[in-house]
């Protein structure tokens, strides 16, 4: 009754979580960067890392210069495997198509939503001026390298999500596609993150393998990476996030 635009029919059942929400990604990153700078961090961008040389000291080569440090933390996302070939754990880059739909007037009060049925998981966010953002969390095309990421989703990918829109929205046939895009998930085999020292090195810590659900944990992951590289012990058992083959 509260959101009649959502079509929940048997055998589906609905759950409402009043304290759930979403994070404005760009605002969150801007805030984190501002806090880091206020603590003395120096941010350099756009600057592309071209190589990391490992020895007693770590050398980072970029398209603008060379930097040396005694210790290093690497959180390179979809570029992790290419940047650190010494990484023994397989990380797969998964293409993740996303879609924006033109909302109807009553959709402006739509909450975050997720529908799961017959093995499908379709989720989305209310319109923040760009339209309703919607996607399917599913195994899709594997990219050999991050640079292979296309800018737009395919018609076939949209058709799969369109079927979900029609199934789960009362007026799904009236929701028009505005634009598409493609994100990348850096997947581990068990879809848990990777937080560990690079095998064989005590001066380089890696954080990655977000598997499509890591961003909301960024403050925690960052703190744990900082503790590790400084030799501080975590108060949590993170053994399940260490290297797995």
């Amino acid at each position: 009754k509260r959101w009649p635009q959502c079509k929940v029919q048997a055998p589906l059942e609905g759950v409402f979580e009043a304290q759930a929400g979403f994070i404005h990604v760009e605002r969150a990153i801007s805030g984190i960067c501002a806090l880091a700078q206020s603590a003395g961090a120096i941010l350099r961008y756009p600057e592309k890392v071209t190589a990391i040389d490992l020895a007693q000291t770590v050398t980072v080569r970029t398209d603008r210069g060379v930097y040396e440090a005694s210790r290093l933390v690497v959180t390179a996302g979809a570029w992790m495997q290419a940047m650190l070939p010494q990484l023994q754990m397989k990380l797969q880059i998964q293409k993740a198509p996303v879609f924006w739909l033109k909302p109807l007037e009553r959709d402006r009060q739509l909450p975050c939503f997720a529908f799961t049925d017959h093995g499908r998981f379709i989720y989305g966010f209310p319109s923040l001026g760009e339209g309703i953002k919607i996607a399917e969390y599913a195994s899709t095309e594997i990219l050999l390298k991050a640079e292979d990421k296309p800018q737009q989703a395919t018609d076939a990918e949209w058709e799969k999500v369109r079927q979900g829109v029609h199934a789960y929205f009362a007026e799904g046939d009236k929701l028009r596609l505005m634009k598409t895009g493609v994100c990348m998930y850096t997947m581990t085999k068990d879809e848990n993150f990777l937080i560990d020292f690079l095998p064989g090195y005590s001066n380089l810590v890696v954080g990655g393998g977000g598997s499509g659900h890591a961003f909301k944990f960024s403050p925690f992951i960052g703190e744990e990476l900082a503790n590790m590289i400084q030799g501080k012990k975590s108060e949590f058992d993170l053994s399940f996030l260490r290297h797995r083959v």
Side-chain angles (χ1 to χ4, degrees):
K1 293 180 179 180
R2 190 169 181 177
W3 293 287
Q5 59 269 61
C6 296
K7 185 166 59 177
V8 181
Q9 299 175 327
L12 290 179
E13 295 182 357
V15 175
F16 173 60
E17 176 51 72
Q19 294 183 321
F22 60 92
I23 300 171
H24 290 269
V25 175
E26 290 79 8
R27 294 183 196 175
I29 293 174
S30 295
I32 289 172
C33 289
L35 287 172
Q37 285 181 302
S38 68
I42 299 173
L43 308 181
R44 299 185 183 275
Y45 46 76
E47 188 165 355
K48 180 180 179 181
V49 175
T50 57
I52 297 176
D53 300 330
L54 299 173
Q56 282 191 321
T57 59
V58 181
T59 302
V60 179
R61 303 182 188 278
T62 77
D63 56 0
R64 295 192 177 188
V66 178
Y67 307 90
E68 290 188 348
S70 59
R71 295 168 291 181
L72 181 67
V73 175
V74 178
T75 55
W79 289 263
M80 181 79 80
Q81 203 99 52
M83 192 173 292
L84 292 173
Q86 305 94 329
L87 198 64
Q88 297 174 5
M89 184 173 164
K90 179 67 174 177
L91 300 177
Q92 283 192 325
I93 306 169
Q94 182 174 296
K95 178 183 177 184
V98 292
F99 307 89
W100 285 264
L101 310 178
K102 186 175 182 179
L104 303 176
E105 185 61 34
R106 67 178 183 175
D107 292 331
R108 301 189 186 282
Q109 300 302 319
L110 193 69
C112 300
F113 57 88
F115 297 95
T116 179
D117 184 26
H118 300 296
R120 301 184 66 187
F121 186 86
I122 290 180
Y123 67 98
F125 306 89
S127 177
L128 301 174
E130 291 188 327
I132 301 171
K133 184 179 179 181
I134 188 168
E136 180 177 10
Y137 187 87
S139 298
T140 58
E141 179 184 349
I142 300 300
L143 306 176
L144 295 179
K145 56 184 185 297
E147 289 76 13
D148 291 339
K149 180 182 80 71
Q151 297 302 309
Q152 304 294 327
T154 66
D155 291 343
E157 289 164 340
W158 162 237
E159 177 58 26
K160 287 182 62 179
V161 174
R162 187 192 68 80
Q163 292 174 9
V165 171
H166 281 225
Y168 304 131
F169 285 87
E171 296 182 294
D173 58 330
K174 297 180 181 179
L175 294 172
R176 299 289 178 247
L177 180 64
M178 296 173 63
K179 63 178 181 177
T180 74
V182 175
C183 297
M184 292 185 290
Y185 292 164
T186 309
M187 306 294 295
T188 64
K189 189 174 181 179
D190 58 9
E191 298 189 13
N192 287 322
F193 314 144
L194 170 61
I195 300 176
D196 201 359
F197 286 94
L198 186 68
Y201 297 89
S202 60
N203 59 350
L204 193 149
V205 171
V206 296
S211 302
H213 62 110
F215 186 80
K216 55 186 170 289
F217 297 104
S218 296
F220 170 79
I221 294 172
E223 185 174 11
E224 291 303 315
L225 292 171
N227 286 338
M228 288 182 68
I229 202 65
Q230 294 178 88
K232 298 179 180 179
K233 186 177 180 180
S234 174
E235 59 181 296
F236 304 99
D237 179 9
L238 300 181
S239 58
F240 72 106
L241 301 179
R242 304 305 187 221
H243 269 85
R244 290 94 67 196
V245 179

